[in-house]
């Protein structure tokens, strides 16, 4: 989180432009480095226009850029290609400003001090079940997407590209990850699915929870 509400507002305002928003979504959804040409093709714009908007998003701190070495080595291999990835920081806007992160940090400290981890997990699971109950019958990946987890299919399971509790998890990973797991298990329970499908499988740059079983296809939904 940047801590600069004005800067956050200006940065997020850039996404109002449909081309920039499309390019940002392309880069964010890939979960890694995306070349200028790849982003341009996915967004349906020219490479030159894509480069202009991608660099604007880098200047605003919404994306990061780097260079990918050419596959061929030696003379004639060409220059390194510029690539883009989603920036690691967070952007949020609240008018008037709110500071829920500090409150979450204080509450997590209280849980630690009281040794109330099990009670916190029970509360998280109950909240997950309440949320899932409102969406009973919907595919779990759709509900997770609506909660900001950014699910994607990989190897017969649903992985989560984004952790909605990233800041708190950096401060107290064991507590927050266990509560996140309980929340996801409760969510599955509320949806009418097997809670045990959710388990911990942390991987750098992603949420610590995975959901076993491939996403529901459109055919299955129907």
């Amino acid at each position: 989180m940047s801590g600069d509400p004005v800067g956050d507002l200006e940065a997020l305002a850039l996404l109002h432009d449909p081309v920039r928003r499309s390019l940002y979504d392309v880069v964010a959804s890939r979960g890694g480095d995306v070349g200028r040409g790849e982003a341009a093709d996915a967004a349906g714009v020219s490479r030159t226009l894509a480069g202009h908007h991608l660099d604007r998003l880098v200047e605003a701190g919404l994306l990061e850029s780097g260079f990918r070495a050419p596959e061929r080595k030696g003379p004639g291999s060409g220059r390194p290609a510029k690539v883009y990835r989603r920036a690691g920081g967070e952007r949020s806007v609240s008018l008037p400003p709110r500071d829920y992160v500090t409150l979450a940090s204080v509450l997590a400290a209280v849980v630690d001090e009281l040794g109330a981890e099990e009670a916190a997990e029970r509360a998280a699971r109950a909240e997950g079940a309440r949320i899932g109950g409102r969406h009973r019958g919907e595919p779990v990946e759709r509900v997770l997407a609506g909660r900001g987890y950014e699910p994607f299919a990989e190897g017969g399971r649903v992985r989560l590209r984004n952790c909605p509790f990233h800041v708190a998890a950096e401060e107290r990973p064991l507590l927050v990850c266990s509560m996140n797991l309980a929340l996801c298990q409760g969510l599955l329970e509320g949806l009418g699915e097997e809670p045990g499908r959710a388990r911990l499988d942390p991987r750098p740059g992603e949420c610590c929870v995975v959901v076993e079983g491939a996403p529901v296809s459109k055919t299955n939904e129907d």
Side-chain angles (χ1 to χ4, degrees), residues 28-206:
S29 67
R30 296 296 194 270
D33 291 343
V34 178
R36 185 174 293 179
E38 180 184 352
D41 290 343
V45 298
S46 71
R47 183 186 178 96
T48 301
L49 182 61
H52 167 73
H53 286 303
L54 288 167
D55 287 338
R56 286 291 305 278
L57 292 171
V58 171
E59 291 171 6
L62 295 171
L63 298 180
E64 296 174 351
S65 64
F67 291 92
R68 178 191 295 150
E71 294 183 5
R72 291 175 53 199
K73 304 295 182 182
S77 60
R79 296 181 301 175
K82 193 169 187 178
V83 293
Y84 301 85
R85 69 189 71 87
R86 181 165 57 178
E90 296 182 15
R91 298 281 185 171
S92 64
V93 176
S94 176
L95 299 174
R98 306 294 189 207
D99 189 5
Y100 300 112
V101 173
T102 298
L103 178 60
S105 180
V106 171
L107 292 174
V110 172
V111 170
D112 273 350
E113 186 171 339
L114 296 178
E117 291 83 359
E118 291 185 6
E121 289 173 20
R122 288 196 299 271
R125 182 156 181 163
E127 178 63 15
R130 185 183 68 81
I131 295 170
R134 297 202 306 263
H135 300 275
R136 196 171 183 85
E138 295 183 27
V140 63
E141 62 272 15
R142 180 187 299 169
V143 181
L144 289 168
R147 307 298 300 181
Y149 283 95
E150 298 184 4
F152 65 100
E154 182 187 279
R157 60 175 63 95
V158 177
R159 300 200 72 98
L160 309 174
R161 186 165 283 121
N162 181 55
C163 174
F165 318 112
H166 175 70
V167 174
E170 283 194 322
E171 291 186 1
R172 288 181 167 79
L174 293 179
L175 173 63
V176 175
C177 288
S178 65
M179 291 180 65
N180 188 23
L181 174 61
L183 181 74
C184 291
Q185 289 175 336
L187 184 76
L188 285 164
E189 187 175 16
L191 291 171
E193 301 192 25
E194 170 54 48
R197 288 178 58 201
R199 65 179 181 85
L200 290 177
D201 185 19
R203 198 162 71 174
E206 295 179 5

Side-chain angles (χ1 to χ4, degrees), residues 204-215:
E206 295 179 5
C207 178
C208 59
V209 176
V210 298
V211 180
E212 297 293 345

